[in-house]
Amino acid sequence: MTADNIKTPFYIVYEQKLRSNIELIKSVAKSADVDIIMAFKANALWRTFPIFREYGVSATASSLNELRLAREELCNKVHSYCPAYTEQTIDEYLDGSSHITFNSLSQAERFLPKVKQKGGEVSAGLRVNPRCSVIETDIYNPALPGSRFGVSADDMPESLPEGIEGFHFHALCESSAEDLEKVLRAFEEQFGRFLPSLKWVNMGGGHLMTRSGYNIELLISILRDFKQRYPNLNVILEPGSAWTWRTGDLITEVVDIVENQGIKTAILDVSFACHMPDTLEMPYQPLISESTPDAPYSYRLGGNSCLSGDFIGDWQFTEPLRPGQRLTLEDMNHYTTVKTNMFNGISHPAIVLCHSDGSCETLRTFTYADYKSRMS
């Protein structure tokens, strides 16, 4: 079966592109002698995890559901970080984690005794906030003033709580190696006095090393130099988007064309609010394979929901759009399927895997039963 035979809408994931990204990331990990693990918040399509398992990819989880999925479908032990653990959740986190990071000193002091009870099976860390902002979009910026993430240098004690073996900082989002260089400089200036006594440092996510033009050699150099300064530290990175960057698309169909006050809108059989929420939150415009800049025919694209703001645009096309025409919204395999919702009762697109030999397999379709179960 080929993609042309599959009814729209559907997300399609390309196995060969996925493998290329994984191989690049694993080569960076080997060259820099660091661990690079996958953040589930960007990708939880577990039916594709057999591919990741071939390469020995591990995971980081921020909820019990992510933790359980990681253990069942990807790896035995997981790195866990949650803004706040509770008496009801901490034991399950500790049972399934090799590393656990606490967001605050109060959380660390509260639950470190439970970590100690595990007899060294779990290594505990503290999230710190170097307050170095390199992200322009506030909703994705953990270094904003008043951030709820991590302990600032001003609030650090003279000595770390007994049992803290690592630091975790996260200040990037689809960022460059140059951005990491800036953040790492701030991190060392503010927290360097603690580093000789630690076992590991987790540099978080946002390292978009699979993006075209990313300075891979600089990244490797930064990581090698850091490890030379602190040979006692195991270095961990946990990107999300990098693993699945440009490895999948969303195939949709034009359902209708409407015009109001000179603006033409092509209404699609998908929803930006339901299926691509980052396009409204960020906001950003996904590339469309069939669109050509400066072409004569301009359209907004509208989602098929009742939300007035369920549209983005404008795009240009060489020919007028028509109902039944397919469009390819590019790079829709990260932060999309994990964020989809069924507002308005709109069903999720199917999920399709395109194998390396070109054949396509439908991994999942969605029905009324899925909608009803979410509302129960």
Side-chain angles (χ1 to χ4, degrees):
M1 181 173 61
T2 66
D4 292 339
N5 304 124
I6 301 172
K7 181 180 179 297
T8 64
F10 59 91
Y11 297 102
I12 185 166
V13 180
Y14 305 101
E15 179 181 352
Q16 193 53 52
K17 293 181 179 180
L18 198 57
R19 288 186 181 276
S20 295
N21 280 4
I22 297 171
E23 289 166 3
L24 186 151
I25 292 171
K26 296 298 284 188
S27 71
V28 171
K30 182 177 180 180
S31 296
D33 190 25
V34 300
D35 294 328
I36 306 181
I37 60 182
M38 181 170 64
F40 267 33
K41 66 179 182 178
N43 175 42
L45 285 181
W46 60 270
R47 291 286 297 276
T48 66
F49 286 178
I51 299 170
F52 289 87
R53 286 201 302 269
E54 291 181 31
Y55 297 87
V57 176
S58 295
T60 178
S62 293
S63 68
L64 289 179
N65 284 336
E66 287 186 345
L67 176 71
R68 182 173 175 180
L69 185 64
R71 295 193 68 192
E72 290 180 355
E73 302 295 340
L74 189 63
C75 53
N76 289 328
K77 290 293 186 178
V78 181
H79 292 237
S80 293
Y81 163 77
C82 180
Y85 306 97
T86 68
E87 293 290 347
Q88 291 72 39
T89 63
I90 187 63
D91 289 334
E92 190 171 345
Y93 273 110
L94 292 176
D95 286 343
S97 302
S98 60
H99 298 65
I100 190 166
T101 297
F102 297 107
N103 185 60
S104 67
L105 289 166
S106 59
Q107 282 265 297
E109 291 166 359
R110 181 180 177 186
F111 293 119
L112 276 171
K114 283 185 172 288
V115 176
K116 188 175 181 180
Q117 292 173 8
K118 301 299 289 185
E121 293 180 9
V122 184
S123 183
L126 182 69
R127 179 163 178 170
V128 296
N129 190 336
R131 296 195 293 194
C132 180
S133 181
V134 296
I135 301 170
E136 295 181 356
T137 305
D138 285 351
I139 195 173
Y140 301 121
N141 188 355
L144 284 175
S147 172
R148 74 187 195 280
F149 293 128
V151 183
S152 298
D154 295 343
D155 297 319
M156 290 292 289
E158 284 299 314
S159 58
L160 293 174
E162 183 180 355
I164 291 296
E165 298 182 337
F167 276 171
H168 176 177
F169 68 86
H170 178 83
L172 304 178
C173 177
E174 298 184 0
S175 301
S176 65
E178 290 80 4
D179 289 331
L180 173 61
E181 197 168 33
K182 295 175 187 175
V183 172
L184 191 56
R185 188 179 305 119
F187 168 72
E188 288 189 70
E189 288 173 356
Q190 297 171 42
F191 302 97
R193 65 188 178 93
F194 297 105
L195 299 184
S197 65
L198 297 177
K199 294 182 178 180
W200 53 269
V201 166
N202 185 329
M203 298 184 182
H207 313 272
L208 194 48
M209 61 192 77
T210 51
R211 177 170 55 192
S212 176
Y214 185 98
N215 193 337
I216 294 287
E217 293 306 315
L218 177 60
L219 174 64
I220 294 172
S221 175
I222 290 169
L223 296 173
R224 283 177 174 172
D225 289 347
F226 181 83
K227 286 180 65 67
Q228 284 185 347
R229 293 193 295 276
Y230 306 100
N232 57 301
L233 294 177
N234 178 38
V235 175
I236 305 155
L237 282 68
E238 49 178 40
S241 297
W243 295 95
T244 52
W245 186 258
R246 296 199 65 80
T247 61
D249 303 321
L250 176 55
I251 311 300
T252 182
E253 189 172 290
V254 177
V255 179
D256 193 17
I257 307 292
V258 298
E259 184 171 356
N260 193 340
Q261 294 178 296
I263 297 174
K264 291 183 177 180
T265 300
I267 298 180
L268 309 178
D269 59 1
V270 293
S271 163
F272 296 99
C274 297
H275 308 136
M276 299 164 279
D278 276 350
T279 63
L280 303 182
E281 288 179 5
M282 187 74 167
Y284 80 98
Q285 284 188 306
L287 294 175
I288 297 178
S289 301
E290 295 78 12
S291 177
T292 304
D294 302 321
Y297 299 95
S298 180
Y299 294 85
R300 282 182 180 175
L301 297 186
N304 200 13
S305 81
C306 293
L307 176 68
S308 297
D310 191 4
F311 71 89
I312 51 175
D314 296 297
W315 280 271
Q316 286 69 46
F317 299 88
T318 56
E319 301 289 339
L321 295 182
R322 64 187 186 281
Q325 182 174 350
R326 289 192 171 194
L327 298 178
T328 303
L329 306 182
E330 297 181 6
D331 197 19
M332 288 292 163
N333 192 26
H334 56 90
Y335 286 107
T336 47
T337 51
V338 292
K339 285 189 171 185
T340 53
N341 61 79
M342 287 187 170
F343 166 71
N344 237 168
I346 295 177
S347 190
H348 297 323
I351 299 172
V352 174
L353 177 63
C354 180
H355 295 288
S356 298
D357 63 5
S359 65
C360 292
E361 175 188 2
T362 299
L363 302 181
R364 176 74 190 273
T365 57
F366 297 87
T367 66
Y368 167 71
D370 296 297
Y371 170 66
K372 188 176 182 181
S373 66
R374 290 184 65 153
M375 298 301 105
S376 59

